[in-house]
Amino acid sequence: LHQWLAILEGHAEKRPAIAERILINSKQMLKWAVKRQLIPQNVLTEINAKEDLQIKKVANSRSLSDEEIRLVWLATDESRMAAKNKLYLKLCLVLACRNGELRLSKKEHFDLESKVWTVPPENHKLGKSSNKPLLRPIIPAVEGLIEEALALSGKGDYLFNNNGTNDPMGQRGPLQLPYNIMQWLRRHKEYEMEHWSVHDLRRTARTNLSSLTEPHIAEIMLGHRLPSSWQVYDHYDYLPEQEKAYQAWWDRLTGIVAA
C-alpha cells in the first residue's frame, strides 16, 4: 500500500487527473488479480481519490466565444491540417456530438436519402443502458461536409479512418487537433488562445442551442437522458425539431464566421 501511495500522492500533487486515472485503473487491475488468486488482496480497495488523495473535481465550463469560434474556423480552413481532420472538427462543432460518436461512425450510418445519421447503441454513452440508437437529422450544409468526408475515406468502412487501414480514427487522434489550431493562431495571427478541447466544441454548441431551441430538444440533440418519466413515456424522435435547431445553429455559425 505504501508503494502505491508514494506513486499516487506524487502525481496527485501536480497532476490530479492523472493520479485519479491511475487509481481507477489500478483498482480494476488488482481486483482482476484477486479474483484469479494471483494476489491475496486489493490494497487499494479503501483508497478514495477525494478523501485520501485530496483530489477535487472541478467541472469544466469552457465554451468558445463568438470571436474564438471565428478564429478556430479560420485556422481550420487555412492551416495545413489534413482535410479529413478539418471536416472532423467542423462536424463536431456543428453536430454537438461526442467526438467518439463521430470517430466510430461507419459510412452505412449516414443515410443521405432519408437525411438521417444513426448512431448505434454501442457508439454512444446512453446506448449502454437504453440499447437504442441516436437519430440526428442531416441538414444540407452537414450533408456537404459528410460527402467531402466520404470522398476522402476511400474504400474503408468508416467515415474517418486511419490512413491506409480499415480501422476507425484512433481514440487519441482528436486530442492533438486543438493544439494544431492554437499553434496556427499563435504563429499567423499572434493570438494566444486559452486551452480548449474537442469536447469543448460540443459544450459551445449546446450553449448556443439554448437560445435557438427548447431545452429538451437541445438535450436530445446531444444524446442526453431526459427526466425518468419523460423517457419512459415519450418515444418520439423529434427529428423535425432537431432539424430546425441544427439549421438555426448553422445559420448563426455562418454569421459568426463571416463577421
Side-chain angles (χ1 to χ4, degrees):
L1 176 59
H2 292 295
Q3 291 175 325
W4 279 110
L5 289 178
I7 295 171
L8 293 166
E9 289 172 344
H11 282 292
E13 185 176 348
K14 298 179 180 179
R15 296 170 290 273
I18 296 297
E20 184 174 22
R21 177 54 55 187
I22 292 174
L23 177 61
I24 292 171
N25 290 345
S26 300
K27 278 186 173 182
Q28 292 174 341
M29 177 184 68
L30 296 178
K31 181 180 178 181
W32 181 91
V34 169
K35 285 186 174 181
R36 287 157 181 77
Q37 298 183 351
L38 299 175
I39 58 174
Q41 63 176 321
N42 183 347
V43 296
L44 293 178
T45 298
E46 301 299 325
I47 301 301
N48 180 276
K50 181 178 180 181
E51 296 176 2
D52 300 300
L53 301 178
Q54 286 75 54
I55 295 175
K56 297 180 181 179
K57 286 189 177 181
V58 179
N60 191 337
S61 59
R62 180 78 165 103
S63 177
L64 274 60
S65 66
D66 286 2
E67 178 64 7
E68 288 178 321
I69 292 173
R70 186 185 70 80
L71 288 169
V72 166
W73 198 277
L74 173 69
T76 301
D77 280 338
E78 297 192 8
S79 71
R80 295 181 179 180
M81 184 185 298
K84 69 173 185 178
N85 290 335
K86 295 181 179 184
L87 292 167
Y88 182 85
L89 281 180
K90 288 183 176 181
L91 284 170
C92 282
L93 177 59
V94 177
L95 294 171
C97 58
R98 293 182 177 88
N99 74 78
E101 294 169 1
L102 188 58
R103 185 174 56 79
L104 297 174
S105 61
K106 292 185 175 181
K107 296 175 182 178
E108 64 189 43
H109 297 158
F110 298 90
D111 188 336
L112 298 184
E113 289 190 13
S114 62
K115 313 298 184 188
V116 174
W117 172 27
T118 300
V119 183
E122 62 272 19
N123 283 5
H124 71 92
K125 190 174 181 179
L126 189 59
K128 295 177 181 179
S129 57
S130 70
N131 200 33
K132 295 179 180 179
L134 293 181
L135 301 178
R136 292 193 175 101
I138 300 174
I139 61 173
V142 169
E143 183 176 3
L145 296 175
I146 292 171
E147 287 177 338
E148 287 185 53
L150 286 170
L152 291 170
S153 62
K155 298 180 180 180
D157 295 328
Y158 294 90
L159 187 66
F160 294 97
N161 51 21
N162 281 332
N163 292 335
T165 75
N166 193 29
D167 299 324
M169 177 189 290
Q171 189 171 2
R172 299 183 62 83
L175 299 181
Q176 187 63 31
L177 302 184
Y179 292 97
N180 295 341
I181 295 295
M182 289 184 282
Q183 186 177 22
W184 188 93
L185 290 172
R186 185 182 301 116
R187 181 180 303 166
H188 297 276
K189 296 296 180 180
E190 297 183 353
Y191 181 81
E192 195 66 39
M193 189 174 188
E194 181 185 346
H195 174 76
W196 57 278
S197 67
V198 173
H199 189 76
D200 291 328
L201 298 179
R202 173 174 162 87
R203 189 177 292 106
T204 299
R206 177 62 181 87
T207 300
N208 279 271
L209 286 170
S210 290
S211 60
L212 297 173
T213 189
E214 297 295 323
H216 66 285
I217 302 299
E219 290 298 283
I220 289 170
M221 292 166 73
L222 265 70
H224 283 169
R225 187 187 301 275
L226 293 176
S228 57
S229 59
W230 199 329
Q231 64 177 317
V232 170
Y233 292 102
D234 188 352
H235 297 280
Y236 179 48
D237 56 29
Y238 290 93
L239 282 174
E241 292 80 3
Q242 290 187 65
E243 181 181 4
K244 183 178 179 181
Y246 274 125
Q247 187 60 54
W249 171 220
W250 175 259
D251 292 341
R252 175 175 291 181
L253 261 178
T254 54
I256 291 171
V257 172

